[in-house]
mmCIF file with all atom_site columns, all heavy atoms in Angstrom:
data_model
loop_
_atom_site.group_PDB
_atom_site.id
_atom_site.type_symbol
_atom_site.label_atom_id
_atom_site.label_alt_id
_atom_site.label_comp_id
_atom_site.label_asym_id
_atom_site.label_entity_id
_atom_site.label_seq_id
_atom_site.pdbx_PDB_ins_code
_atom_site.Cartn_x
_atom_site.Cartn_y
_atom_site.Cartn_z
_atom_site.occupancy
_atom_site.B_iso_or_equiv
_atom_site.pdbx_formal_charge
_atom_site.auth_seq_id
_atom_site.auth_comp_id
_atom_site.auth_asym_id
_atom_site.auth_atom_id
_atom_site.pdbx_PDB_model_num
ATOM 1  N N   . GLY A 1 228 ? 3.502  -15.292 -11.893 1.00 88.00 ? 228 GLY A N   1
ATOM 2  C CA  . GLY A 1 228 ? 4.739  -15.737 -11.329 1.00 88.00 ? 228 GLY A CA  1
ATOM 3  C C   . GLY A 1 228 ? 5.851  -14.681 -11.407 1.00 88.00 ? 228 GLY A C   1
ATOM 4  O O   . GLY A 1 228 ? 6.574  -14.416 -10.420 1.00 88.00 ? 228 GLY A O   1
ATOM 5  N N   . GLY A 1 229 ? 5.990  -14.079 -12.592 1.00 87.00 ? 229 GLY A N   1
ATOM 6  C CA  . GLY A 1 229 ? 6.995  -13.041 -12.790 1.00 87.00 ? 229 GLY A CA  1
ATOM 7  C C   . GLY A 1 229 ? 6.676  -11.809 -11.897 1.00 87.00 ? 229 GLY A C   1
ATOM 8  O O   . GLY A 1 229 ? 7.620  -11.150 -11.402 1.00 87.00 ? 229 GLY A O   1
ATOM 9  N N   . ALA A 1 230 ? 5.384  -11.502 -11.730 1.00 89.00 ? 230 ALA A N   1
ATOM 10 C CA  . ALA A 1 230 ? 4.996  -10.358 -10.901 1.00 89.00 ? 230 ALA A CA  1
ATOM 11 C C   . ALA A 1 230 ? 5.391  -10.574 -9.468  1.00 89.00 ? 230 ALA A C   1
ATOM 12 O O   . ALA A 1 230 ? 5.909  -9.653  -8.762  1.00 89.00 ? 230 ALA A O   1
ATOM 13 C CB  . ALA A 1 230 ? 3.506  -10.092 -11.017 1.00 89.00 ? 230 ALA A CB  1
ATOM 14 N N   . ILE A 1 231 ? 5.125  -11.778 -8.938  1.00 93.00 ? 231 ILE A N   1
ATOM 15 C CA  . ILE A 1 231 ? 5.525  -12.085 -7.531  1.00 93.00 ? 231 ILE A CA  1
ATOM 16 C C   . ILE A 1 231 ? 7.011  -11.993 -7.373  1.00 93.00 ? 231 ILE A C   1
ATOM 17 O O   . ILE A 1 231 ? 7.486  -11.428 -6.361  1.00 93.00 ? 231 ILE A O   1
ATOM 18 C CB  . ILE A 1 231 ? 5.038  -13.503 -7.147  1.00 93.00 ? 231 ILE A CB  1
ATOM 19 C CG1 . ILE A 1 231 ? 3.525  -13.581 -7.121  1.00 93.00 ? 231 ILE A CG1 1
ATOM 20 C CG2 . ILE A 1 231 ? 5.607  -13.924 -5.820  1.00 93.00 ? 231 ILE A CG2 1
ATOM 21 C CD1 . ILE A 1 231 ? 2.870  -12.705 -6.049  1.00 93.00 ? 231 ILE A CD1 1
ATOM 22 N N   . ALA A 1 232 ? 7.787  -12.475 -8.307  1.00 91.00 ? 232 ALA A N   1
ATOM 23 C CA  . ALA A 1 232 ? 9.245  -12.368 -8.235  1.00 91.00 ? 232 ALA A CA  1
ATOM 24 C C   . ALA A 1 232 ? 9.707  -10.879 -8.236  1.00 91.00 ? 232 ALA A C   1
ATOM 25 O O   . ALA A 1 232 ? 10.579 -10.524 -7.425  1.00 91.00 ? 232 ALA A O   1
ATOM 26 C CB  . ALA A 1 232 ? 9.886  -13.098 -9.424  1.00 91.00 ? 232 ALA A CB  1
ATOM 27 N N   . ALA A 1 233 ? 9.058  -10.094 -9.068  1.00 88.00 ? 233 ALA A N   1
ATOM 28 C CA  . ALA A 1 233 ? 9.414  -8.662  -9.148  1.00 88.00 ? 233 ALA A CA  1
ATOM 29 C C   . ALA A 1 233 ? 9.059  -7.916  -7.846  1.00 88.00 ? 233 ALA A C   1
ATOM 30 O O   . ALA A 1 233 ? 9.856  -7.105  -7.307  1.00 88.00 ? 233 ALA A O   1
ATOM 31 C CB  . ALA A 1 233 ? 8.695  -7.997  -10.290 1.00 88.00 ? 233 ALA A CB  1
ATOM 32 N N   . ILE A 1 234 ? 7.879  -8.199  -7.273  1.00 91.00 ? 234 ILE A N   1
ATOM 33 C CA  . ILE A 1 234 ? 7.518  -7.596  -6.016  1.00 91.00 ? 234 ILE A CA  1
ATOM 34 C C   . ILE A 1 234 ? 8.457  -8.007  -4.866  1.00 91.00 ? 234 ILE A C   1
ATOM 35 O O   . ILE A 1 234 ? 8.888  -7.164  -4.046  1.00 91.00 ? 234 ILE A O   1
ATOM 36 C CB  . ILE A 1 234 ? 6.078  -7.952  -5.610  1.00 91.00 ? 234 ILE A CB  1
ATOM 37 C CG1 . ILE A 1 234 ? 5.056  -7.499  -6.671  1.00 91.00 ? 234 ILE A CG1 1
ATOM 38 C CG2 . ILE A 1 234 ? 5.670  -7.395  -4.264  1.00 91.00 ? 234 ILE A CG2 1
ATOM 39 C CD1 . ILE A 1 234 ? 3.653  -7.978  -6.487  1.00 91.00 ? 234 ILE A CD1 1
ATOM 40 N N   . SER A 1 235 ? 8.867  -9.268  -4.854  1.00 93.00 ? 235 SER A N   1
ATOM 41 C CA  . SER A 1 235 ? 9.796  -9.749  -3.861  1.00 93.00 ? 235 SER A CA  1
ATOM 42 C C   . SER A 1 235 ? 11.128 -9.008  -3.960  1.00 93.00 ? 235 SER A C   1
ATOM 43 O O   . SER A 1 235 ? 11.691 -8.620  -2.933  1.00 93.00 ? 235 SER A O   1
ATOM 44 C CB  . SER A 1 235 ? 10.038 -11.254 -3.989  1.00 93.00 ? 235 SER A CB  1
ATOM 45 O OG  . SER A 1 235 ? 8.829  -11.990 -3.931  1.00 93.00 ? 235 SER A OG  1
ATOM 46 N N   . MET A 1 236 ? 11.597 -8.800  -5.188  1.00 92.00 ? 236 MET A N   1
ATOM 47 C CA  . MET A 1 236 ? 12.856 -8.097  -5.377  1.00 92.00 ? 236 MET A CA  1
ATOM 48 C C   . MET A 1 236 ? 12.746 -6.660  -4.892  1.00 92.00 ? 236 MET A C   1
ATOM 49 O O   . MET A 1 236 ? 13.669 -6.190  -4.188  1.00 92.00 ? 236 MET A O   1
ATOM 50 C CB  . MET A 1 236 ? 13.222 -8.127  -6.884  1.00 92.00 ? 236 MET A CB  1
ATOM 51 C CG  . MET A 1 236 ? 14.528 -7.405  -7.174  1.00 92.00 ? 236 MET A CG  1
ATOM 52 S SD  . MET A 1 236 ? 14.831 -7.214  -8.954  1.00 92.00 ? 236 MET A SD  1
ATOM 53 C CE  . MET A 1 236 ? 13.522 -6.011  -9.372  1.00 92.00 ? 236 MET A CE  1
ATOM 54 N N   . PHE A 1 237 ? 11.659 -6.008  -5.175  1.00 91.00 ? 237 PHE A N   1
ATOM 55 C CA  . PHE A 1 237 ? 11.467 -4.649  -4.729  1.00 91.00 ? 237 PHE A CA  1
ATOM 56 C C   . PHE A 1 237 ? 11.415 -4.555  -3.198  1.00 91.00 ? 237 PHE A C   1
ATOM 57 O O   . PHE A 1 237 ? 11.963 -3.623  -2.608  1.00 91.00 ? 237 PHE A O   1
ATOM 58 C CB  . PHE A 1 237 ? 10.166 -4.039  -5.281  1.00 91.00 ? 237 PHE A CB  1
ATOM 59 C CG  . PHE A 1 237 ? 10.301 -3.481  -6.664  1.00 91.00 ? 237 PHE A CG  1
ATOM 60 C CD1 . PHE A 1 237 ? 9.656  -4.046  -7.756  1.00 91.00 ? 237 PHE A CD1 1
ATOM 61 C CD2 . PHE A 1 237 ? 11.045 -2.337  -6.905  1.00 91.00 ? 237 PHE A CD2 1
ATOM 62 C CE1 . PHE A 1 237 ? 9.747  -3.527  -9.014  1.00 91.00 ? 237 PHE A CE1 1
ATOM 63 C CE2 . PHE A 1 237 ? 11.233 -1.835  -8.163  1.00 91.00 ? 237 PHE A CE2 1
ATOM 64 C CZ  . PHE A 1 237 ? 10.562 -2.403  -9.239  1.00 91.00 ? 237 PHE A CZ  1
ATOM 65 N N   . ILE A 1 238 ? 10.755 -5.509  -2.575  1.00 94.00 ? 238 ILE A N   1
ATOM 66 C CA  . ILE A 1 238 ? 10.720 -5.540  -1.107  1.00 94.00 ? 238 ILE A CA  1
ATOM 67 C C   . ILE A 1 238 ? 12.094 -5.652  -0.498  1.00 94.00 ? 238 ILE A C   1
ATOM 68 O O   . ILE A 1 238 ? 12.471 -4.901  0.435   1.00 94.00 ? 238 ILE A O   1
ATOM 69 C CB  . ILE A 1 238 ? 9.845  -6.714  -0.595  1.00 94.00 ? 238 ILE A CB  1
ATOM 70 C CG1 . ILE A 1 238 ? 8.361  -6.426  -0.933  1.00 94.00 ? 238 ILE A CG1 1
ATOM 71 C CG2 . ILE A 1 238 ? 9.998  -6.901  0.893   1.00 94.00 ? 238 ILE A CG2 1
ATOM 72 C CD1 . ILE A 1 238 ? 7.446  -7.588  -0.559  1.00 94.00 ? 238 ILE A CD1 1
ATOM 73 N N   . VAL A 1 239 ? 12.914 -6.573  -1.040  1.00 95.00 ? 239 VAL A N   1
ATOM 74 C CA  . VAL A 1 239 ? 14.281 -6.749  -0.508  1.00 95.00 ? 239 VAL A CA  1
ATOM 75 C C   . VAL A 1 239 ? 15.104 -5.487  -0.655  1.00 95.00 ? 239 VAL A C   1
ATOM 76 O O   . VAL A 1 239 ? 15.784 -4.994  0.237   1.00 95.00 ? 239 VAL A O   1
ATOM 77 C CB  . VAL A 1 239 ? 14.987 -7.934  -1.216  1.00 95.00 ? 239 VAL A CB  1
ATOM 78 C CG1 . VAL A 1 239 ? 16.431 -7.997  -0.791  1.00 95.00 ? 239 VAL A CG1 1
ATOM 79 C CG2 . VAL A 1 239 ? 14.263 -9.232  -0.842  1.00 95.00 ? 239 VAL A CG2 1
ATOM 80 N N   . VAL A 1 240 ? 15.036 -4.880  -1.902  1.00 94.00 ? 240 VAL A N   1
ATOM 81 C CA  . VAL A 1 240 ? 15.815 -3.661  -2.187  1.00 94.00 ? 240 VAL A CA  1
ATOM 82 C C   . VAL A 1 240 ? 15.361 -2.509  -1.290  1.00 94.00 ? 240 VAL A C   1
ATOM 83 O O   . VAL A 1 240 ? 16.172 -1.813  -0.732  1.00 94.00 ? 240 VAL A O   1
ATOM 84 C CB  . VAL A 1 240 ? 15.721 -3.305  -3.671  1.00 94.00 ? 240 VAL A CB  1
ATOM 85 C CG1 . VAL A 1 240 ? 16.352 -1.931  -3.928  1.00 94.00 ? 240 VAL A CG1 1
ATOM 86 C CG2 . VAL A 1 240 ? 16.366 -4.327  -4.525  1.00 94.00 ? 240 VAL A CG2 1
#
Side-chain angles (χ1 to χ4, degrees):
I231 292 295
I234 298 172
S235 301
M236 180 188 69
F237 275 114
I238 289 176
V239 172
V240 172

